[in-house]
């Protein structure tokens, strides 16, 4: 059983503030350590559950957060960006995926760092009309490669979002968000024990899980934060302007639609006047 761990940072045990999430943040060194240790707990659990190979894909921001010198010796690490499959790079060579340190989508109340892709640019992402966050988008990408998502970790709002889309996935709730930048956190020992147990159970039972089948063709609507962003995004070939801040595009499959999505986000976030 080959396991991919996609590791984001906002849903990591003890992480509640931007200072822990950004390379320029005063608490970033601690954030990286916390992320690495949650990942190690998932690696340990995956191995207990029958994993023969574990690949960790660093999925947060610059994607060079995880400390390889502290990483579990049985895991490989995909570090850095940009990668063709983004947060789920490595899924094409996996049998099951685990999403560690994930977070709820933009606009969710009581969710640590609620956002989808970019809090600066994106107000809503809809795939075939259904609003979803990074967990949903990435679960569809995994589904394209026939890989189910068996387990996630994060706060209680991530759990609610995941359960609506992936009812059979196990969730390790390591903190209860009380606001966008506040949470009631389990002790690190308890959180890591929970991650390890859920990962073990998830990998052991992964054979009976079905992947989330993505729509094909796949239509995506993106509600941007400003009209200026939509002015730029509508210049991307294939993109249709649907409203002040709303653009739509389609791919032959979810991977093609994902590539269009990334291009739209990159163009929308530019600050050039032409
Ligand atoms: Zn992140």
């Amino acid at each position: 059983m080959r396991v991919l761990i996609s590791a984001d940072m906002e849903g990591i045990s003890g992480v509640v503030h931007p200072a822990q999430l950004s390379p320029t943040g005063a608490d970033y060194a601690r954030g990286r350590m916390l992320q690495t240790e949650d990942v190690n707990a998932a690696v340990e659990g995956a191995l207990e559950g029958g994993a023969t190979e574990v690949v960790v894909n660093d999925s947060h921001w610059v994607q060079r957060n995880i400390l390889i010198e502290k990483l579990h010796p049985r895991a490989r690490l995909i570090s850095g960006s940009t990668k063709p499959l983004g947060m789920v790079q490595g899924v094409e060579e996996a049998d099951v995926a685990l999403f560690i340190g994930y977070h709820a989508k933009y606009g969710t109340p009581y969710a640590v760092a609620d956002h989808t892709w970019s809090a600066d640019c994106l107000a809503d992402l809809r795939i075939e009309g259904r609003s979803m966050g990074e967990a949903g988008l990435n679960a569809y990408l995994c589904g394209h490669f026939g890989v189910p998502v068996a387990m996630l970790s994060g706060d209680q709002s991530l759990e609610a979002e995941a359960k609506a889309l992936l009812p059979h996935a196990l969730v390790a709730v390591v903190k209860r968000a009380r606001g966008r930048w506040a949470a009631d956190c389990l002790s690190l020992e308890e959180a890591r024990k929970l991650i390890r147990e859920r990962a073990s159970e998830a990998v052991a039972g992964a054979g009976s899980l079905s992947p989330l089948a993505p729509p094909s063709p796949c239509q995506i609507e993106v509600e941007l934060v400003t009209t200026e962003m939509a002015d730029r995004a509508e210049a991307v070939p294939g993109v249709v302007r649907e409203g002040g801040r709303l653009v739509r595009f389609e791919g032959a499959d979810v991977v093609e639609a994902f590539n269009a999505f990334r291009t739209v986000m990159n163009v929308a976030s530019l600050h050039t006047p032409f």
Side-chain angles (χ1 to χ4, degrees):
M1 181 71 69
R2 300 168 303 170
V3 177
L4 171 72
I5 295 176
S6 170
D8 205 352
M9 206 161 175
E10 293 84 348
I12 290 296
S13 308
V15 168
V16 300
H17 192 269
Q20 296 164 297
L21 292 164
S22 158
T24 57
D27 252 351
Y28 176 63
R30 286 180 61 231
R32 303 176 80 181
M33 181 67 83
L34 294 170
Q35 183 194 28
T36 305
E37 291 300 334
D38 271 18
V39 166
N40 283 342
V43 174
E44 197 63 45
L47 292 167
E48 284 171 13
T52 52
E53 189 179 306
V54 183
V55 174
V56 178
N57 181 39
D58 197 330
S59 301
H60 174 72
W61 204 320
V62 294
Q63 302 171 26
R64 286 180 279 107
N65 311 284
I66 292 171
L67 299 162
I68 195 167
E69 57 271 44
K70 300 283 184 193
L71 187 65
H72 194 294
R74 291 279 309 277
R76 301 205 314 272
L77 177 65
I78 302 174
S79 183
S81 65
T82 300
K83 302 169 276 201
L85 293 171
M87 296 179 75
V88 293
Q89 188 64 40
V91 72
E92 68 279 28
E93 295 170 356
D95 301 305
V96 64
L98 314 180
F99 291 173
I100 299 299
Y102 267 51
H103 54 84
K105 69 179 183 177
Y106 181 93
T108 306
Y110 309 114
V112 172
D114 66 287
H115 73 279
T116 307
W117 206 262
S118 159
D120 295 334
C121 283
L122 195 147
D124 196 19
L125 164 70
R126 294 194 279 276
I127 301 183
E128 293 293 323
R130 184 173 185 177
S131 175
M132 59 180 59
E134 293 171 22
L137 171 65
N138 289 326
Y140 271 148
L141 286 168
C142 291
H144 176 84
F145 294 93
V147 175
V149 179
M151 183 243 167
L152 305 90
S153 77
D155 65 21
Q156 84 284 9
S157 296
L158 179 271
E159 180 188 43
E161 187 176 311
K163 286 289 180 191
L165 198 67
L166 305 162
H168 302 294
L170 303 178
V171 184
V173 179
V174 298
K175 56 193 171 189
R176 302 213 164 259
R178 300 303 186 217
R180 187 160 201 248
W181 302 121
D184 177 342
C185 304
L186 290 180
S187 73
L188 296 179
E189 288 74 12
E190 284 300 312
R192 291 168 190 165
K193 181 164 167 276
L194 186 63
I195 290 169
R196 181 173 158 179
E197 287 171 359
R198 292 280 189 276
S200 172
E201 195 184 336
V203 171
S208 62
L209 283 180
S210 300
L212 183 70
S216 186
C218 181
Q219 187 188 90
I220 293 183
E221 282 170 305
V222 166
E223 187 185 332
L224 296 156
V225 169
T226 67
T227 50
E228 184 188 345
M229 292 170 184
D231 289 344
R232 286 191 289 268
E234 75 164 311
V236 176
V239 170
V240 177
R241 183 90 173 247
E242 283 201 322
R245 295 180 293 111
L246 192 65
V247 296
R248 168 174 56 82
F249 45 89
E250 189 176 291
D253 56 34
V254 69
V255 174
E256 194 177 295
F258 170 68
N259 279 320
F261 168 67
R262 292 209 301 185
T263 305
V264 162
M265 295 309 295
N266 286 338
V267 170
S269 63
L270 291 172
H271 295 288
T272 49
F274 33 80

